[in-house]
Amino acid sequence: MSLLEIEGLEVTFGQGEGRVAAVRGASFSLARGETHCIVGESGCGKSVTSLAIMGLLARGATRQAKRMEFDGRDISRLTEREMSRLRGHRIAMIFQEPMTSLNPAYTIGSQMAEVRTRHLGGTKQAALDRAAELLGRVGITAPGMRLGQFPHQLSGGLRQRVMIAMALMNDPELLIADEPTTALDVTIQAQILRLLAQLQAELGLGLLLITHDLGVVARVAHRVSVMYAGEVVENAATADLFAAPRHPYTRGLLECLPIPGKVAPGAPLGSIPGMVPKLTPGFTGCGFRSRCSLARAECAAPVALRGAPHLYRCVVDA
Amino acid sequence: MSTPAIEIRDLEKRFIVKQGLFGTPRHVRAVDGVTLSIPTGATLGIVGESGCGKSTLARLILGLLPASAGSVLVEGQDLSRLDRRARARLIQPVFQDPFSSLNPRRSIGDIVAMPLVAQGVAGRETRSRVAEMLEQVGISPDMASRYPAQLSGGQRQRIAIARALVLRPRILLCDEPTSALDVSVQSQILNLLADLRRSLNLTTIFISHNLAVVEHIADTVAVMYLGRIVEEAQAQALFATPRHPYTRALLASVLTPEPGLGVPDVGLGDVLPDPSNIPPGCRFHPRCPVAIARCSLQTPPRVDGAECHLLSA
């Protein structure tokens, strides 16, 4: 059974004329011990999807889903109180910017301990011991000293390790990481991703990783969902997606990358003309059709996912 | 041999940093003895991690910061001896964030015209040159009356490029020009820069942390670490056979979109570079996986463009 099952997730912001559909029927599932990446460009709805699962959408957003299950339990109808019992406990999240997601006024130790005592009780000392153990686990030397430090005393890479350790405080089953390495240097990014992959395998976590970086996807994901204009346009095993992308958008995206060895230096790169359409509520059909060279009349009607297990949302046969 | 388009000689920048109210002031060498030269029409890529001094170097080259020592010569003219206007005719920047580098209250026509106005170019000529420039960056001149907020990120970066090139400078300095952009937009901007470079015979300095992009666009590459160029080579040679251990680590950490390879172990350990506390000897030795005793004692010599003790042995 899958750990997380999302079907037909829809999120809209605003009201009346100004309404925007940020997520238009996203579906995917995630098993224990699996890394699933949601990849897409800015505004495609990938972060909103993760926030919708966590029940952290801003006020004014509406969320609807055919199915939203965590470990077999419907989480779409939970009250805020019930959801906050899950959050930080069985479902944990890591955000992109570790500086703004840590409280600058509290020590690392007290922030980490609170996560534990709040959900599981116990003494503060026991929680601090657990925090020190996890800091060691994520490769931070002298964890005892770090517990007494404030976020500003740590580098970006260390802060992100603290965020990971903090997310693991209560042995979550599902970890959602939204661009966890985007703010970091490449060398630190490699270290953090390696660590996440190791922890994920060791602890059997379900890892939902949101990223815009196809390099990250290729290296860590078991399965990938490509999002465009609020829809999952392709969902496949990582190797299949990169070997034979089926959706015109995925193909276009891969051609835009200067891949050493594949694209000669200085040779023109592929590009995707046009812009992402405005997704007002009346918008139906494939969000990519205005930029797609293969578009036809039927693209204006809703397009279904097909081709399991390498799913793609396109009327043109791949 | 003809004079290079731009020559940077022993450029140095020291900042004085005080730790706390009563702390003793310390010198931070953000840029330390950088020497580079680029022939006309070529592109130099500068790569390095945050805090390595690449943006400070950019500001020194542009004259936005006074250098503590050294000089920058464009076609033989020392930039520090020129006034702002003369400098602006020789070298122009494109910055990372097209959302903050364009004045939101000016129309894009005004933004692109500004350098011309500052140089005293008159009305009609300004308009025709702005229109021509917009066309060259792929923006319809009809859009000149729009404001930055009405444009997408890629279009804004095109405007920033148009503004930089409207004076026909000799040198274009791009500091992370595509880092804030989506992949599909990044490729368009890279293609545009390549076209302009060819048609205008531009000499380009391209600063980026994205090694795949630099490999694609640069003729030569300089790798910066804590203020120094630790390796400089032809792009092809550098990416095929990196010589400095830092360059090797940097290249190893690039995640190319090839599934099945996993995340590499870059072997750099946990010590992070601190520009206010540069280690003695080779500044990379605390993180270097192959350091020997000598590395913490002596400054490494430069051998064939790379600064490493192991290469001189």
Side-chain angles (χ1 to χ4, degrees):
Chain A
M1 186 187 64
S2 50
L3 181 63
L4 182 70
E5 190 79 47
I6 304 293
E7 202 188 315
L9 175 69
E10 292 185 23
V11 181
T12 53
F13 289 102
Q15 283 177 345
E17 292 274 294
R19 237 157 44 105
V20 176
V23 180
R24 306 186 295 142
S27 305
F28 56 91
S29 66
L30 171 69
R32 276 173 210 280
E34 185 186 45
T35 300
H36 189 109
C37 276
I38 300 185
V39 66
E41 298 183 284
S42 29
C44 71
K46 57 190 191 299
S47 286
V48 174
T49 298
S50 69
L51 293 173
I53 296 167
M54 287 295 267
L56 290 175
L57 289 170
R59 204 171 283 180
T62 6
R63 180 184 79 181
Q64 275 188 332
K66 285 199 194 104
R67 216 145 71 99
M68 231 174 123
E69 283 172 9
F70 169 69
D71 199 17
R73 181 179 174 198
D74 181 3
I75 54 169
S76 67
R77 270 169 257 289
L78 293 186
T79 62
E80 173 54 29
R81 183 177 269 264
E82 289 166 324
M83 195 63 212
S84 69
R85 247 178 256 144
L86 276 182
R87 265 197 310 255
H89 181 192
R90 296 184 66 196
I91 308 178
M93 189 153 182
I94 304 169
F95 295 94
Q96 171 173 359
E97 220 333 301
M99 194 60 217
T100 50
S101 22
L102 289 167
N103 189 328
Y106 290 89
T107 60
I108 301 299
S110 73
Q111 296 185 52
M112 290 186 72
E114 189 195 352
V115 175
R116 180 87 174 178
T117 52
R118 190 170 168 159
H119 286 282
L120 302 177
T123 63
K124 181 154 189 206
Q125 192 49 53
L128 284 172
D129 292 344
R130 166 85 181 152
E133 177 202 326
L134 283 170
L135 288 182
R137 188 98 183 247
V138 299
I140 293 182
T141 47
M145 179 194 73
R146 299 296 182 193
L147 288 177
Q149 287 186 317
F150 289 90
H152 76 269
Q153 293 172 293
L154 309 181
S155 68
L158 278 183
R159 284 199 287 262
Q160 201 55 293
R161 283 173 199 244
V162 167
M163 290 301 296
I164 294 172
M166 195 187 285
L168 300 177
M169 280 299 278
N170 297 324
D171 299 307
E173 292 144 77
L174 170 63
L175 184 60
I176 301 180
D178 187 359
E179 304 269 11
T181 58
T182 305
L184 304 174
D185 278 315
V186 281
T187 55
I188 315 294
Q189 163 171 283
Q191 288 176 350
I192 297 284
L193 287 175
R194 204 175 151 79
L195 172 70
L196 266 181
Q198 274 167 3
L199 289 168
Q200 192 252 10
E202 253 172 65
L203 307 174
L205 286 172
L207 177 60
L208 182 65
L209 186 71
I210 317 289
T211 181
H212 70 284
D213 187 332
L214 287 157
V216 170
V217 174
R219 301 303 189 94
V220 303
H222 299 118
R223 209 171 166 85
V224 194
S225 292
V226 180
M227 278 190 84
Y228 184 81
E231 286 185 314
V232 173
V233 296
E234 187 158 354
N235 174 321
T238 308
D240 296 342
L241 184 106
F242 283 92
R246 289 184 166 179
H247 195 280
Y249 173 65
T250 316
R251 286 204 294 267
L253 207 54
L254 285 168
E255 280 165 14
C256 288
L257 290 175
I259 304 174
K262 273 196 188 162
V263 182
L269 299 167
S271 65
I272 303 175
M275 281 162 70
V276 184
K278 273 236 162 65
L279 298 169
T280 45
F283 189 94
T284 51
C286 175
F288 189 60
R289 66 180 187 272
S290 61
R291 303 174 77 181
C292 182
S293 60
L294 305 173
R296 318 166 172 175
E298 58 239 72
C299 302
V303 182
L305 276 172
R306 60 178 178 140
H310 185 152
L311 294 162
Y312 65 112
R313 196 184 290 277
C314 184
V315 296
V316 181
D317 291 328
Chain B
M1 214 177 110
S2 62
T3 36
I6 181 165
E7 227 182 326
I8 296 159
R9 290 186 190 151
D10 295 316
L11 207 56
E12 187 174 313
K13 182 65 190 177
R14 288 185 302 267
F15 291 108
I16 295 171
V17 179
K18 246 190 188 176
Q19 299 236 309
L21 191 56
F22 302 106
T24 38
R26 278 201 294 180
H27 283 283
V28 174
R29 271 185 201 204
V31 171
D32 188 2
V34 168
T35 296
L36 292 164
S37 84
I38 316 173
T40 304
T43 295
L44 168 76
I46 300 179
V47 297
E49 294 174 280
S50 41
C52 74
K54 54 191 196 298
S55 285
T56 304
L57 177 62
R59 289 162 70 194
L60 291 176
I61 295 171
L62 291 165
L64 297 176
L65 266 182
S68 306
S71 54
V72 179
L73 283 77
V74 173
E75 296 184 330
Q77 303 179 70
D78 189 336
L79 287 188
S80 66
R81 284 167 210 271
L82 301 176
D83 66 2
R84 275 173 65 181
R85 265 191 215 132
R87 228 168 30 218
R89 287 193 295 268
L90 293 175
I91 184 163
Q92 283 284 337
V94 173
F95 294 109
Q96 172 173 359
D97 184 0
F99 293 82
S100 61
S101 65
L102 302 179
N103 186 340
R105 294 178 177 275
R106 294 278 187 175
S107 71
I108 63 174
D110 283 352
I111 290 172
V112 177
M114 195 67 86
L116 293 168
V117 173
Q119 298 285 344
V121 178
R124 182 161 303 169
E125 198 193 335
T126 306
R127 239 167 298 146
S128 68
R129 279 175 71 176
V130 167
E132 185 193 341
M133 195 64 238
L134 286 176
E135 200 117 29
Q136 268 185 308
V137 298
I139 300 273
S140 158
D142 309 341
M143 289 172 70
S145 58
R146 295 203 194 173
Y147 288 83
Q150 295 167 284
L151 306 182
S152 69
Q155 287 173 323
R156 286 182 218 208
Q157 204 57 305
R158 287 172 191 266
I159 298 301
I161 293 169
R163 174 178 61 184
L165 295 182
V166 74
L167 289 179
R168 298 273 177 261
R170 311 301 306 146
I171 317 287
L172 182 70
L173 188 150
C174 306
D175 190 358
E176 302 273 8
T178 61
S179 305
L181 304 176
D182 275 320
V183 174
S184 66
V185 182
Q186 165 178 285
S187 68
Q188 294 170 20
I189 296 295
L190 292 176
N191 287 345
L192 172 67
L193 283 171
D195 289 346
L196 289 170
R197 195 190 132 193
R198 237 169 276 132
S199 59
L200 305 175
N201 196 25
L202 265 179
T203 308
T204 319
I205 300 174
F206 194 95
I207 297 177
S208 180
H209 71 281
N210 187 329
L211 285 118
V213 167
V214 169
E215 177 168 8
H216 184 72
I217 200 163
D219 301 308
T220 54
V221 178
V223 181
M224 223 173 154
Y225 189 77
L226 284 179
R228 278 193 81 81
I229 305 291
V230 295
E231 180 164 2
E232 188 199 348
Q234 293 293 316
Q236 250 181 329
L238 185 117
F239 285 98
T241 48
R243 302 172 64 228
H244 196 283
Y246 178 62
T247 313
R248 286 205 292 269
L250 213 50
L251 294 187
S253 60
V254 177
L255 303 178
T256 50
E258 298 167 277
L261 295 181
V263 185
D265 181 3
V266 292
L268 284 184
D270 290 331
V271 194
L272 288 168
D274 175 5
S276 68
N277 188 13
I278 290 176
C282 169
R283 51 197 69 203
F284 181 60
H285 84 262
R287 295 175 85 191
C288 183
V290 293
I292 52 174
R294 186 151 43 113
C295 301
S296 58
L297 303 171
Q298 297 162 2
T299 308
R302 200 180 175 94
V303 180
D304 297 336
E307 288 185 352
C308 178
H309 287 111
L310 301 172
L311 297 172
S312 59

